[in-house]
Structures are given as structure tokens and as C-alpha cells.
Amino acid sequence: MTTWKDRLADTMGPDLAREIDIFETQIELRRQDKLEEKVFAETRLRKGVYGQRYDNGQRHDGIEVQQLDYRSEYPTKGVETVWDAPGMQRIKMPFGGLNPDQMDVLADLAEEYSDGICHVTTRQDIQLHFVHLEDTPSLMRRLAAVGVTTHEACGNAVRNVTACPLSGACHDEVFDVTPYARAAAQYMLGHPDFQDFGRKFKVSFSGCASHPCGLATIHDMGLIAAIRTANGKESRGFTLYVGGGLGAVPYQAKLFEEFLPVEELLPTAQAIGRVFGRLGEKKNRARARIKFLVDKLGLEEFRRLVREERKVLPEDPRWTSYLEGVSSDRERPLQAPVSRNGVPPPEGYDLWKKTNVYRQKQSGFVIATVALPLGDLSAYQLRNLAGIARRLVGDHVRTTVEQNIVLRWVREEDLPELYTSLQAIGLAQPGAGTIIDITACPGTDTCKLGIASSRGLAEELRTDLATQFVQLDEAVKNLRIKVSGCFNSCGQHQVADIGFYGVSRTIDRHKVPHFQVVLGGQWTENAGSYGQAIGAVPSKRIPEVVRRITDRYIRQRQGEEKFQDFIQRIGKKVLREDLEDLMVVPSYEKDPTLYSDWGDPREFTMSDIGTGECAGEVVTPLQFGLTAAERELFEAQIQLDEGDFPKAWHLGRGAMLQAAKTLVREQFRDVPDEPEAIVSEFKKRFFDTKIFFDKYAGGKFGNYLFRPYEQEAEDFTDDTARKIIAEAQLFIEASHACYARLEPEQVAPMTQLSRLSRSTLRKPGGAQ
Amino acid sequence: MDLQRFAIKVYLEDPSKLDPKALIPVFHRWIQQRAIPDHLLIDVADYSHVPHGPGVMLMTREGHFSLDNSDQRLGLMYTRKQPTEGSFGERFQAVLRATLQARQLLAQEAELSGGLVFKDDELLLVANDRLQAPNTTESFETIRVELGRFLPGLLGGEPAIVHVKSQPRERLALSITVPQALDIPGLLLRLAVAS
Ligand code: SF4
């Protein structure tokens, strides 16, 4: 039977293809219980393959906790994560960039592997839910064939690099940040200096300081375009902020550098990565983001360390090679603008145009926002949207952090046609960027940590406000509402005018879903300030909260007073008093409706909360490296079984090299990739110093590496292949032991693979 | 014919009578009652805010039941995700059986104003695998021939099988119609015997 691997073999680069093959092998190894759970979980997360609610095998059905018997024969795929339980696939889209071919593939994947829905996230990613692990390699290959990777979409890695969706077309931008965002995403992807983090690392690019599009201050590394003039010559750079983040403990990013020349962008990021990797918290995940490191060290010291690190970085041509192409890296419209023909617009068009269309700085062109309720669109809609894009704008499509999609470079005279086409597929909702364009994280729908139904609430508010939208006061129309299902803030509630996050309260032993009301966050100026909670209100009463707050704003607003200023002036105490009657919860007997959540008739419970995978466990690069060596050895064994002796021999040798490189990297991060260099560094650092020596066998295992690199086997036979595989096994074991001697308390437990394969290797004719 | 992933849809007679959200409590109750045999019922997903989408869904380990509107005709669709045993004919019958079991439950639902009325002279078969069954005339012919081997016996007459024309990137869909409404309880009995 043909597979996607066969079909797409020639459509992707060898590295990407190999990466997916490796992941497929890792799935197989874990299935056979030959790969440690923790290592597999982090590997899986780094591929964007994420857990989903109820994958721990239990669910409260409203009456009792049901054990979900997934009938899984295989081991867990992570902590309390049943193998056969469907999960979520996150797909990284750097700066939200999409083209019609990619949209088509995403639509296909949603239908074939997921639930028919593509979800746009607050980091411009795309997520598919209810995906089975076995389907992920094919899914990844199909994405790779159109230039998309899921690599490092989750896990303790650099997450999707975000950027303003208006970049290159915005009237207020200093310059187009797109090429820099693209270069940064490419540079950091898989780079060794961005692998050893205790938590995730988020980067964003913004074209200006005043608008919210890039949300620089909520990022680990936020960059805002800047120009400096010296000696009459303008040069480009970025204002760099570090250590921002939302989550349970929100931090505003701190100004690291007023002007960082573009040439210094990538090396500085790399130096930050190194400092964070070296000094960032690894054990306590709750304090492992870079914001805690900056706080602990102080900005001055952090800056000093980064600058020191920067000085000793080995030169990398990629730091600046992309800059040559920046001036020509400009989007071109699909068609030249022409004058309007005066045909009367379709019904509803004017309102849609008013809220969803932005006039580009390039005359005759606009950006149209396709507003997606809850960030969702069906496969049918996405495929047809791809067709519309192909016809009207070509490759100029992006997702946004407000969970929408924008079509760029629309000719102004094509707008009525665009509107009609969108209407035909149910995507012409007005109100983009207004109070009805509500952002929500997945919450209890699919997130394992969700407390309350953020999507249920968002949908209720959206439908409620949409019915009054036309009559709403302009000041209210422009407010932003954002909802998170818990304090982790994935819905970015702290930077909304009105934000909510899910909590629970217990009344007479019954649980009541609540939302904390968060007011005064500043969306503009790159999320200039964070809101504060004023009290928790039952979920079902939140629409009334919105009514009261917005009514008061309309009544008591002074002139053009902004919402944040209004909140500041009135004071949170008074605003809370306004809501206090809503906070009183009647008994279950009096009003059971408050005891269930939006869109979910079950009585509310907290018992469905699972173990989060937001960042996975910390797996050191050394553990990853030695696991990679073991995987390569496993592949060698498979080739041996299949009778491909030359391949088996080379894989066995390669496995030793991988283990040696892993050890060398502990001392010499920038060891080159060439085998001679690795072998020579290993010899110098670990063999000649006897660090690698076994108490009884001395240098024997080290010699297993040197010999095959001094001279290839003359003959590739069953015997020579078997011998090198056995030696490689011992070499990898010795590498583990060596590391254990150096770092006794950090040693990775020997994987099942090591134990099992040792016995498999004791075959007649084997080296032992 | 190696097609493992496919879906079967049965249409509603009068979709205007149904508020899709009314299915949410119904599906939650089905989970409590473990109402669908041979399926591990996991959760309910509400996509009723997405026009041309899967609507309200009952997610199971084996596949999804959805009140689907992606072809702008509301109906109950069962999309099989896990492989099933046997020949294509056997797999088809297993998927049809699960679809009709859910259809029967919905038709009897007191909470849905006495139950939904289905259009029982039509089925839609959707091949959910672009590798094994791309949306081409050849794939259509292959499946039509396969269906021709067992459908007349199963349905009690020769059905009309038509390739639902769509863009090539859409999934291959086959409309299967019979001159008179099928006797669903009888058909379910035959499927039970066959399984
Ligand atoms: S905010 Fe909480 S509920 Fe929402 S996605 Fe994040 S962890 Fe899950």
C-alpha cells in the first residue's frame, strides 16, 4: 500500500524528511517501551504533538467519574497520557504567514486526521484537535511538502515567532519586520543554543511602539522596529525588551537595549539563549521562564552576561547573510490596482468594510480581516478561502494573534467581490478588532488544565453583543474582551480592556464555575500595562458583568476618556461594589443553573483537570543527545535484521559519533559537525584525560569509536555489522556512565532500549 | 480497495426544525449511558458557531458523530477514524451500522421534540483518505464496483450511486439513493447478522 512517505519523498528537504522519520522511529520505540516516557513526551511536544483533555483516561460525565477504557496496549505517551487517547497537533506558522497551498493542506489534514476544524491560536499557530499519535508522521510529511514544520511548536523551545499581521503595509510602521521575523524563526529553529531551556521562549516582532499588533511587552524577547540616524545615514534596528510574560505571574518585559542594530539581532538572541540555557531555572517549572531569571539577576547583570556571551560567540555567517535580501523581500500584489466600477455594494458590505478593512500604505490596496468566531474555521471554509486567496491576493495571507486571518494586498475594487465570496462560505462576519471579536483560549473544551469554559463564555458574549452591535456606543465597540480558562493566561486576558480567567468556588460541597474579572489592561502600545482582577463572578453571570461595566463607561465617560483611564479614575473598589451582588451564589437547590458552565450541561467539576504539558519536563540536551544515539543504534539493528549490512555498519558507527558529540558539547558547545573534529575533540577531552575510562575496561570502549573512523570496514558482512553495533552499544553505555560520574545527581536513567538491546545483541556471532 | 477512513452521512428531512445546540445535552447523556455500542464515548464538541462545519460532535475513540453541515445539508455523519476489520464490504457495513444506530437513537430522542426525522432514501459515502481514494473518476468507479457487490443485497434493491461533483481537492463523495425509504430497523438487523 502506498504511504504518504513514498508519495511525498521528493517534495521536502532531506533534513526535514529525516527529522520526521526520526520521530516515527521514536513513536515506535516508545510503543515498544524502549524509550523513556519523559524523553518521549518532550520529543513529542517539540513536534507540536500535545496532550488533550481526558487523555488521562477519565472524565466526569456529570454524575460520576467514568474511566475511559481506551483499550491501549501500549505504554503511556507522557505523564498520565494514554497512548490511544486523541490529542492536539500544533502547527507553527512563523509570523502567521500562509499561502493557498498550505491552506489547502491544512484543510485536508483537518478532515482526515482531526475533527474538520482548524483553530487559529493567540500565537498565530494553527491547531488541530482529536488527532491520533499514529497519524502525526503522515500529517507532518504532508505539511513539510508545502514548507511547514511543526518542529518546536511546543515543549521547552522557541515557540512560534509572531509579528504584526500588517507588516509591510501599515501606515505607522517604522519598517517591515517580516524578513527579520522570518530570519529569526529560521535561525532559532533547532539551533543548539536554544535547546537547553527550562521552559518555553517566546519572541515577537512589532513594526511600531504604539499599536498592539506585536504585543512586545508580554514576550520573553520582544522587538520593536526602530531607525537611528548617525552622520546623516539612517540605519535599521530594534528596541529590544526581555523577560515579559503573562501566566500566573505576569511580568512586563524590561527594556534591554534602546537600539539594537539589525546585524546584532541574531547574535544577541543567541547570546540570550545561551545565558538563559545556562542560568535559567530547570527544576522548578513554575519559575523557569526567562522573566524570573531577569528578575533574579537584575536587568543590569543579565545585560552584562548577555554582552559577555555575545563577545565570545563564534562568528556565524547566517547572522547577516539574510540582510542582503531584505530590501528585495517585499510582497508584490497579485494584480495591479484599477479604478472602481460603481456597482452597488452587497448588503452588509458597508458595516463589514468599516470594521474589517484596513487601507494599506500602498495606494489602491487594502487588508481584509476574516473574523473567525473563537478562531475556528471548517476545512470547507479554509479550502474555499484558499481559492479566494489564490484568485485575489496570491500568497499574502496571515493569521493574527486575535485568532483571525487577514488577506493582504486586496485591490480595493475587489472588495465587494471578496465580501460576496466570503459571505458564501460564512466568513463575512463584521466586527473584526471590536468588542465582538473575542479572544479565547481552548479552556475546558480541550485543555487539560482548563478550569472554566473560556470558549463557552466567549461564544455567549459574542452572540449576545453581536445582536446589539450596530447600536453599541462607539467607545464600547472598540473595547477588547479576552478570556482564559485558567490563570495561565493563554487567552491573554491581562492585556484586554475587559479580561476574564476561569476559577472555581465551592458552595455547600458543589463546585461553581467562576471567572475572575480583570480590568484595565492596555492592549495598545504593545500591551502597555496589565489589568488586575477585581473579583470572581459565576460564569453564567459574566454577560451581566459586561453589561454593567460598559453601561457605566458610557454613562460616566468624560469626553474622549479611554477605558483604562476610566477604570483608573473610577477605581477598582467602586467597580467591584457594582458587581458584588453578582458574586453572591444561591444554593444549588435554589439555582442549579449556576452550577454548570456555558455550553456544558454537566454539573461543574474540577475533577477533569489533568497534568499539564505546557512545557513538558526538562530533558537536558545530553539526555536528548544520548537518546538520539540510541535511536540511531536501533535503526542500525533494523538494517541488520533486514540484511543491509553496509547501512547497519554506518549507522552503528554514527550512533557512537552522536554519543561522543553529545559529551563533547557539554564542554565545547560549538564543536563542528565534521566527524574528524568530533572524534579528535572527544579524544582530547575525554580519552586522553581518561575521563571516559571504565574502572575495569579502561580505554577499551573509547577505542571502539576511534577504530572505525581510522579505517572503514573492508567488508560489510553480517559479522562486521553485528560487531560494530555491539561496540556502539557499549560505547553509548560508557557515555551514560561517564556523564553519571561527572554529574552524579543529574544522570539520565538508562533507557529500556539500552537494557533490551544489550540482550538482543548477545546473539551467536555477536561481539560478546 | 484499501480504504479504511471514510464517513457515512444520513440527511435530515427538515433541518429547519432543529437547533443544533439541542444536541449538546443529548450527546452528554449518551456518554453517561454509554449509548453507542462498541464505541468509547469521550466528549462533546460544539462547533455550531462555524457555518459549513461539523456542527455539534460526539467524539469517540473510534470515530466522530457530527451534526454535519459542511455540504450545506444538515445530517448525521459518522466519520470512522480507527481501522476496522475485514474486506471493504465488511468495513462499510460496520460503519453503516454505527451510523444507523446513532440515527435510530436521535430519531427516538424525546428531548428533540420527539425525535428527528431522517431522509431514509439517501446515504452519502465520503472517502476520508486522499491517498487511497483521491477525488477522481477512477476512484469513484473502484468504489462503485465494490459497493455493487453487496449493496443491492443489503438494501434490497439496486441503488443509484452517483459521484458528487466537487473541486478535486474536496473528498471523494458518493451519493447512494434508493427509490423508497429504507426500512432502518430491518437494515440494522441485516447488518447485525452480517457483523
Ligand atoms: S489559559 Fe489555562 S485553560 Fe486556557 S489554554 Fe492556557 S492552560 Fe489551558
Side-chain angles (χ1 to χ4, degrees):
Chain A
M1 190 167 74
T2 324
T3 62
W4 283 112
K5 185 175 175 180
D6 308 328
R7 173 69 65 86
L8 301 174
D10 301 329
T11 60
M12 64 192 86
D15 290 351
L16 203 48
R18 170 103 184 111
E19 213 176 74
I20 300 168
D21 290 348
I22 287 173
F23 182 57
E24 198 162 35
T25 308
Q26 283 165 323
I27 292 177
E28 187 49 39
L29 284 172
R30 179 63 194 150
R31 208 199 318 248
Q32 296 178 21
D33 209 2
K34 293 177 180 174
L35 184 59
E36 207 186 332
E37 181 196 71
K38 162 176 153 175
V39 177
F40 180 68
E42 177 60 11
T43 305
R44 167 172 67 77
L45 289 168
R46 288 195 187 199
K47 285 271 169 268
V49 181
Y50 210 87
Q52 197 177 300
R53 207 165 175 89
Y54 312 124
D55 65 8
N56 58 355
Q58 64 174 50
R59 176 185 183 272
H60 199 283
D61 67 9
I63 298 171
E64 59 177 2
V65 175
Q66 264 192 30
Q67 297 306 315
L68 302 177
D69 178 11
Y70 287 103
R71 279 170 273 156
S72 205
E73 308 152 24
Y74 305 122
T76 50
K77 54 188 174 187
V79 180
E80 293 170 19
T81 310
V82 182
W83 188 272
D84 273 348
M88 180 265 275
Q89 175 71 58
R90 184 175 293 154
I91 300 160
K92 253 177 156 179
M93 309 301 318
F95 58 89
L98 272 174
N99 65 41
D101 291 348
Q102 293 166 342
M103 292 159 82
D104 274 337
V105 169
L106 287 165
D108 295 352
L109 301 180
E111 281 172 340
E112 291 177 46
Y113 306 123
S114 171
D115 55 9
I117 293 287
C118 286
H119 175 74
V120 176
T121 75
T122 53
R123 288 207 63 74
Q124 297 178 300
D125 300 289
I126 301 278
Q127 281 179 191
L128 304 175
H129 290 96
F130 297 97
V131 175
H132 286 273
L133 181 61
E134 278 80 1
D135 290 333
T136 54
S138 293
L139 181 153
M140 288 169 193
R141 288 188 181 104
R142 293 170 76 176
L143 285 169
V146 286
V148 176
T149 178
T150 66
H151 194 55
E152 295 177 359
C154 303
N156 302 319
V158 180
R159 300 293 183 86
N160 197 33
V161 172
T162 57
C164 317
L166 305 183
S167 320
C170 175
H171 291 271
D172 301 325
E173 72 184 359
V174 178
F175 57 80
D176 181 2
V177 297
T178 310
Y180 306 96
R182 182 186 292 118
Q186 284 168 356
Y187 186 71
M188 292 188 283
L189 183 73
H191 192 292
D193 287 333
F194 297 93
Q195 303 303 311
D196 190 14
F197 296 164
R199 283 298 306 269
K200 57 193 165 189
F201 189 79
K202 296 180 176 176
V203 180
S204 95
F205 285 81
S206 194
C208 76
S210 53
H211 294 295
C213 319
L215 298 173
T217 66
I218 70 171
H219 281 82
D220 296 295
M221 187 171 156
L223 297 129
I224 301 176
I227 292 274
R228 189 168 60 183
T229 311
N231 304 327
K233 198 171 166 262
E234 279 193 344
S235 57
R236 286 181 173 191
F238 290 96
T239 305
L240 168 61
Y241 289 85
V242 291
L246 296 176
V249 191
Y251 279 62
Q252 283 269 339
K254 296 187 169 71
L255 179 64
F256 182 93
E257 187 104 54
E258 193 69 56
F259 187 85
L260 180 75
V262 288
E263 295 78 10
E264 280 302 305
L265 168 65
L266 299 184
T268 303
Q270 189 176 349
I272 289 174
R274 281 190 170 197
V275 171
F276 179 42
R278 198 168 63 234
L279 302 176
E281 174 64 47
K282 298 278 168 44
K283 291 201 176 91
N284 178 2
R285 280 182 46 187
R287 297 194 64 80
R289 291 286 293 273
I290 199 170
K291 61 190 177 186
F292 297 107
L293 179 65
V294 174
D295 200 46
K296 188 171 120 193
L297 296 174
L299 182 65
E300 275 314 308
E301 176 62 3
F302 179 77
R303 195 185 277 130
R304 187 189 70 76
L305 288 167
V306 170
R307 287 181 177 157
E308 287 297 309
E309 193 68 47
R310 165 66 189 94
K311 280 189 215 149
V312 298
L313 282 179
E315 194 72 18
D316 187 335
R318 291 177 299 165
W319 288 344
T320 49
S321 55
Y322 75 98
L323 292 172
E324 286 158 26
V326 164
S327 56
S328 57
D329 184 354
R330 208 170 291 139
E331 289 178 346
R332 307 264 182 274
L334 191 66
Q335 304 160 83
V338 293
S339 64
R340 306 196 56 178
N341 57 13
V343 174
E347 205 188 325
Y349 170 79
D350 289 335
L351 176 61
W352 174 81
K353 188 179 171 200
K354 188 172 170 207
T355 54
N356 293 39
V357 174
Y358 175 87
R359 200 178 291 268
Q360 292 188 193
K361 64 181 174 189
Q362 295 87 357
S363 162
F365 295 97
V366 297
I367 293 179
T369 300
V370 180
L372 305 175
L374 306 181
D376 292 341
L377 81 171
S378 71
Y380 171 87
Q381 290 177 315
L382 185 56
R383 186 172 301 112
N384 281 279
L385 188 60
I388 295 171
R390 232 174 235 120
R391 200 169 73 239
L392 299 179
V393 299
D395 289 353
H396 309 316
V397 184
R398 292 194 193 184
T399 56
T400 78
V401 296
E402 292 188 272
Q403 302 180 293
N404 293 323
I405 288 180
V406 293
L407 301 178
R408 302 152 55 92
W409 294 98
V410 180
R411 295 191 304 183
E412 228 176 320
E413 75 280 3
D414 288 338
L415 271 176
E417 183 197 334
L418 171 63
Y419 176 76
T420 313
S421 306
L422 291 176
Q423 227 179 6
I425 53 171
L427 285 177
Q429 289 94 334
T434 71
I435 193 165
I436 61 171
D437 191 6
I438 299 172
T439 303
C441 76
T444 48
D445 277 16
T446 49
C447 174
K448 290 165 88 164
L449 297 177
I451 293 175
S453 177
S454 39
R455 281 166 58 88
L457 173 62
E459 179 56 8
E460 183 62 28
L461 292 174
R462 186 184 74 86
T463 39
D464 186 33
L465 290 162
T467 55
Q468 326 149 34
F469 185 65
V470 181
Q471 294 86 40
L472 281 179
D473 188 285
E474 283 301 314
V476 169
K477 258 187 199 163
N478 292 324
L479 298 180
R480 294 292 213 290
I481 297 179
K482 292 179 186 291
V483 192
S484 299
C486 77
F487 51 78
N488 281 312
S489 317
C490 305
Q492 302 173 340
H493 60 265
Q494 283 116 334
V495 296
D497 296 297
I498 306 174
F500 302 101
Y501 70 90
V503 291
S504 165
R505 296 286 181 268
T506 305
I507 313 284
D508 293 339
R509 294 191 303 169
H510 290 279
K511 297 268 187 283
V512 185
H514 278 61
F515 278 93
Q516 276 285 358
V517 180
V518 178
L519 294 179
Q522 189 183 356
W523 175 242
T524 52
E525 289 173 31
N526 276 291
S529 63
Y530 297 165
Q532 280 170 3
I534 64 162
V537 176
S539 300
K540 293 285 175 76
R541 289 176 171 163
I542 294 295
E544 178 59 20
V545 170
V546 173
R547 260 188 293 280
R548 287 191 193 179
I549 293 171
T550 51
D551 284 354
R552 191 190 255 271
Y553 180 45
I554 295 166
R555 280 197 322 272
Q556 299 181 350
R557 187 181 186 215
Q558 294 178 346
E560 292 301 299
E561 189 178 31
K562 282 190 190 151
F563 189 72
Q564 290 82 23
D565 299 335
F566 162 78
I567 296 292
Q568 193 76 30
R569 180 171 58 79
I570 300 292
K572 300 207 167 86
K573 188 166 169 284
V574 174
L575 290 161
R576 183 190 160 97
E577 281 164 11
D578 242 6
L579 306 179
E580 263 168 1
D581 62 311
L582 300 175
M583 296 176 187
V584 181
V585 184
S587 70
Y588 182 81
E589 287 69 31
K590 270 203 189 128
D591 187 358
T593 60
L594 293 182
Y595 291 75
S596 63
D597 212 337
W598 289 111
D600 190 340
R602 289 176 294 167
E603 186 177 330
F604 182 71
T605 173
M606 293 279 284
S607 64
D608 288 336
I609 294 179
T611 308
E613 291 196 314
C614 278
E617 284 203 61
V618 176
V619 179
T620 63
L622 190 124
Q623 285 170 296
F624 266 128
L626 293 183
T627 302
E630 285 164 353
R631 183 197 29 76
E632 202 159 338
L633 186 62
F634 180 77
E635 286 176 18
Q637 287 178 274
I638 290 173
Q639 295 306 324
L640 178 68
D641 292 346
E642 289 180 359
D644 190 338
F645 305 127
K647 208 165 187 181
W649 191 90
H650 283 104
L651 281 164
R653 186 178 69 165
M656 283 193 275
L657 189 72
Q658 170 66 46
K661 182 181 167 190
T662 304
L663 285 177
V664 171
R665 280 211 76 231
E666 287 296 295
Q667 292 187 0
F668 175 31
R669 294 182 78 103
D670 300 308
V671 58
D673 268 337
E674 287 74 44
E676 309 78 59
I678 294 167
V679 172
S680 145
E681 287 296 334
F682 175 81
K683 187 166 182 306
K684 187 171 84 192
R685 291 163 190 272
F686 287 88
F687 192 81
D688 295 346
T689 55
K690 299 193 176 175
I691 293 174
F692 192 75
F693 278 30
D694 180 83
K695 199 170 167 188
Y696 303 106
K700 179 176 168 188
F701 303 136
N703 285 319
Y704 290 161
L705 171 75
F706 305 138
R707 268 201 311 269
Y709 278 99
E710 278 157 16
Q711 190 175 16
E712 283 225 344
E714 281 171 8
D715 209 4
F716 296 112
T717 63
D718 181 290
D719 271 356
T720 56
R722 207 174 281 281
K723 181 165 179 285
I724 200 166
I725 289 173
E727 290 177 352
Q729 179 63 58
L730 293 169
F731 185 86
I732 294 169
E733 294 289 357
S735 304
H736 275 293
C738 173
Y739 181 55
R741 284 195 298 277
L742 292 173
E743 300 270 334
E745 75 284 13
Q746 281 184 28
V747 68
M750 190 169 63
T751 65
Q752 302 246 6
L753 169 65
S754 310
R755 288 190 286 271
L756 287 176
S757 45
R758 183 184 285 165
S759 59
T760 350
L761 287 161
R762 282 198 197 108
K763 283 182 179 169
Q768 291 187 44
Chain B
M1 167 57 48
D2 243 331
L3 186 63
Q4 281 283 356
R5 295 167 193 268
F6 56 91
I8 295 181
K9 182 170 178 176
V10 285
Y11 291 100
L12 283 178
E13 194 70 70
D14 183 2
S16 64
K17 288 203 178 127
L18 179 70
D19 168 12
K21 283 199 188 288
L23 257 83
I24 296 173
V26 171
F27 282 165
H28 275 288
R29 183 159 40 73
W30 288 11
I31 297 176
Q32 285 168 353
Q33 298 166 344
R34 297 168 171 87
I36 305 201
D38 306 320
H39 284 72
L40 173 68
L41 278 52
I42 303 174
D43 199 18
V44 180
D46 177 12
Y47 294 120
S48 56
H49 53 279
V50 181
H52 312 279
V56 173
M57 306 180 82
L58 174 61
M59 320 307 291
T60 81
R61 175 189 171 275
E62 290 72 18
H64 309 325
F65 295 88
S66 53
L67 195 70
D68 183 77
N69 195 34
S70 48
D71 57 354
Q72 297 182 69
R73 288 181 65 197
L74 206 59
L76 171 70
M77 188 166 194
Y78 174 54
T79 307
R80 183 76 191 186
K81 303 263 308 260
Q82 294 289 338
T84 34
E85 302 275 296
S87 63
F88 175 69
E90 286 163 326
R91 295 198 295 269
F92 178 90
Q93 292 179 56
V95 172
L96 179 61
R97 186 166 176 226
T99 314
L100 295 181
Q101 282 169 334
R103 175 237 174 265
Q104 287 298 76
L105 287 173
L106 281 179
Q108 291 152 13
E109 262 304 335
E111 269 186 49
L112 302 172
S113 10
L116 301 181
V117 181
F118 287 89
K119 195 171 172 305
D120 286 331
D121 58 355
E122 183 180 3
L123 299 171
L124 184 78
L125 168 64
V126 181
N128 198 22
D129 185 335
R130 289 173 174 81
L131 186 66
Q132 304 303 331
N135 191 2
T136 60
T137 312
E138 298 76 60
S139 308
F140 164 72
E141 275 305 323
T142 310
I143 295 181
R144 194 183 61 78
V145 169
E146 289 280 343
L147 290 172
R149 292 190 218 282
F150 62 87
L151 264 192
L154 186 69
L155 304 183
E158 195 72 46
I161 303 175
V162 175
H163 185 178
V164 180
K165 289 292 173 207
S166 57
Q167 308 169 38
R169 280 212 80 111
E170 297 284 350
R171 294 176 295 183
L172 171 67
L174 292 84
S175 158
I176 303 167
T177 50
V178 288
Q180 274 168 358
L182 294 162
D183 161 26
I184 302 297
L187 179 54
L188 272 169
L189 266 180
R190 288 197 292 283
L191 288 166
V193 171
S195 72

